[in-house]
Amino acid sequence: MSAIVAIVGRPNVGKSTFFNRLIQRREAIVDAVSGVTRDRHYGKSDWNGRDFSIIDTGGYVLGSDDVFEKEIDKQVELAIDEADAIIFMVDVETGVTGMDEDVAKLLRRVNKPVLLAVNKVDNAKRAEDAVEFYSLGLGDYYTIASINGSGTGELLDALVEVLPEKEKAEESELPRFAVVGRPNAGKSSFINALIGEDRYIVTDVAGTTRDSIDTKYNRFGFEFNLVDTAGIRRKAKVKEDLEFYSVMRSVRAIEYCDVCLLVLDATRGFDGQVQNIFWLAQRNNKGIVILVNKWDLVENKETNSIKQYTKKIKEAMEPFTDVPIIFISVLAKQRIFKAIETAVEVYKNRSKKVPTRKLNDIMLPLIENYPPPAYKGKFVKIKFCTQLPTPYPQFAFFCNLPQYVRDPYKRFLENKLREHFDFSGVPVSIFMRKK
């Protein structure tokens, strides 16, 4: 379970530049998803063996008359409320401003680690100028230059020191299925339809994440823990922005689960907000099942409407298109148990282990018939492959020139793995290693 770090500050201090540098530090395991509003991003990174999620918020402007800025301010407050640690970024070029003091006043009331990062410090004179930021009352500061990475190592060293220890998951072999999606898509109705009739088989178990509840479900031969994102308590002192908060809750739930049941409203489609949650799940290597709810409300349906709708979703998901898509109606209880059955299959796919001998017997002849294309006049020869001992499918292919194997060929390998071993609904990672 990784921690959440929020980057906050007024506009134009370099938050997004720092965020972009941070997520690119470990290319193999990090990526970012653009948010649905200006200057907000979600990503994953790690430092010194500690992984964490990052939220790059919009610029905080207290008391602005701009409606959009007021919305950003609410979202910054939500990010602060949900985060485990906060990086407060300021700009040495402009010095301490009234807006900086407003943010500092907000952060001094927060009972969480706050690291003050003075950005754009790229020479000795500016390092001396940074002293004035002691006046914000937040203690020591860290001088960085996000444009070239100077000082970020010291800041991240301090960050991982203050992050909370990883919460140990309860000893349970039951899979965890998280029901996620944007507001009013039918998440709560879906859960109620599953557990509403026979309450005696349902047990609430406190989850390891803050405020989340596991519901133990055992019915029709299926047994698992259901993580309800809709059940996380509202923050009493924060006026919610539902769209933003739905993603915040999804970040926690996705990291905590094995399979995500992504519920979307058929009348709204696979829009940007739903895609954000989808890519968060994909980049966290979780199993995914897409549930298209309220299909009965879609007007002007034709014989091939489902096929066309599915095609649009898969186009938006490219290149990860091997995901089950089920059309349901929660109110009519149509195909809701098919959804659970599929989630169980995806869970099994995610934990599948392919014997090394079988893997090589199938993949090496395919590679021999379709080898990696030559690069700079050099030929890549793949000699051996194996599945890595991780909780989700990752494969290492050993060759003479791993640096010359490009993404299109890795996708070819992934597609062949899916074709022969059925990893439907599960992200598959391919790594090329030096033989």
Side-chain angles (χ1 to χ4, degrees), residues 87-269:
I87 295 175
F88 173 28
M89 189 165 289
V90 292
D91 183 350
V92 73
E93 288 184 346
T94 58
V96 177
T97 69
M99 284 186 284
D100 291 330
E101 292 173 346
D102 290 336
V103 179
K105 184 178 180 181
L106 175 69
L107 294 176
R108 284 197 297 269
R109 299 197 299 265
V110 176
N111 188 26
K112 293 178 181 179
V114 177
L115 283 76
L116 178 60
V118 184
N119 194 22
K120 306 180 184 178
V121 180
D122 51 10
N123 58 50
K125 175 64 171 64
R126 289 186 172 184
E128 294 176 2
D129 293 341
V131 174
E132 69 170 303
F133 288 97
Y134 275 121
S135 66
L136 294 176
L138 294 172
D140 291 335
Y141 57 83
Y142 299 86
T143 56
I144 66 170
S146 57
I147 196 71
N148 60 25
S150 173
T152 56
E154 290 80 0
L155 174 60
L156 292 176
D157 285 343
L159 174 65
V160 296
E161 285 293 321
V162 299
L163 290 179
E165 292 298 318
K166 289 186 177 181
E167 297 167 330
K168 294 182 179 179
E170 295 179 5
E171 293 297 325
S172 172
E173 295 182 357
L174 292 180
R176 290 187 175 90
F177 297 166
V179 181
V180 297
R182 67 183 301 161
N184 304 316
K187 300 187 298 295
S188 296
S189 299
F190 175 74
I191 292 167
N192 290 338
L194 285 176
I195 68 177
E197 293 181 6
D198 299 308
R199 293 293 300 186
Y200 65 91
I201 57 170
V202 175
T203 307
D204 287 341
V205 182
T208 61
T209 57
R210 292 181 306 185
D211 308 321
S212 69
I213 296 294
D214 274 10
T215 300
K216 189 174 181 181
Y217 180 91
N218 185 353
R219 192 176 179 191
F220 300 128
F222 300 124
E223 187 173 11
F224 54 87
N225 286 322
L226 198 63
V227 184
D228 176 12
T229 56
I232 299 175
R233 68 174 173 83
R234 290 171 179 262
K235 309 299 184 186
K237 296 181 180 179
V238 181
K239 187 177 181 181
E240 289 189 78
D241 178 294
L242 286 178
E243 294 293 338
F244 178 61
Y245 200 27
S246 70
V247 175
M248 291 297 304
R249 292 185 289 190
S250 294
V251 170
R252 289 283 187 191
I254 286 169
E255 291 180 342
Y256 178 51
C257 76
D258 298 300
V259 177
C260 294
L261 294 162
L262 175 53
V263 183
L264 65 91
D265 184 337
T267 62
R268 302 186 71 165

Side-chain angles (χ1 to χ4, degrees), residues 190 259-266 269-270 274-275 278 287-295 305-329 334-343 345-346 349 422-426:
F190 175 74
V259 177
C260 294
L261 294 162
L262 175 53
V263 183
L264 65 91
D265 184 337
F270 195 66
V274 179
Q275 289 178 38
F278 172 83
I288 305 172
V289 179
I290 294 178
L291 306 181
V292 183
N293 189 28
K294 306 182 185 179
W295 184 243
S305 291
I306 286 182
K307 191 175 293 186
Q308 292 176 348
Y309 201 98
T310 300
K311 182 181 178 183
K312 287 183 180 179
I313 293 177
K314 287 186 177 292
E315 286 174 351
M317 294 191 304
E318 289 180 345
F320 180 37
T321 58
D322 187 15
V323 178
I325 300 173
I326 302 173
F327 290 76
I328 67 173
S329 172
Q334 291 179 341
R335 290 179 288 278
I336 59 173
F337 296 110
K338 172 66 175 176
I340 294 303
E341 183 180 24
T342 304
E345 292 172 358
V346 168
N349 291 343
D422 186 15
F423 288 108
S424 177
V426 184

Side-chain angles (χ1 to χ4, degrees), residues 70-88:
K70 289 180 180 178
E71 290 301 309
I72 290 178
D73 291 355
K74 287 195 296 182
Q75 292 165 10
V76 170
E77 291 173 1
L78 283 168
I80 291 171
D81 194 46
E82 189 69 13
D84 296 294
I86 299 145
I87 295 175
F88 173 28

Side-chain angles (χ1 to χ4, degrees), residues 24-42:
Q24 292 167 3
R25 189 168 296 278
R26 299 289 177 84
E27 185 178 356
I29 59 171
V30 297
D31 213 327
V33 184
S34 294
V36 293
T37 61
R38 183 178 62 186
D39 295 332
R40 191 175 73 234
H41 303 273
Y42 312 91

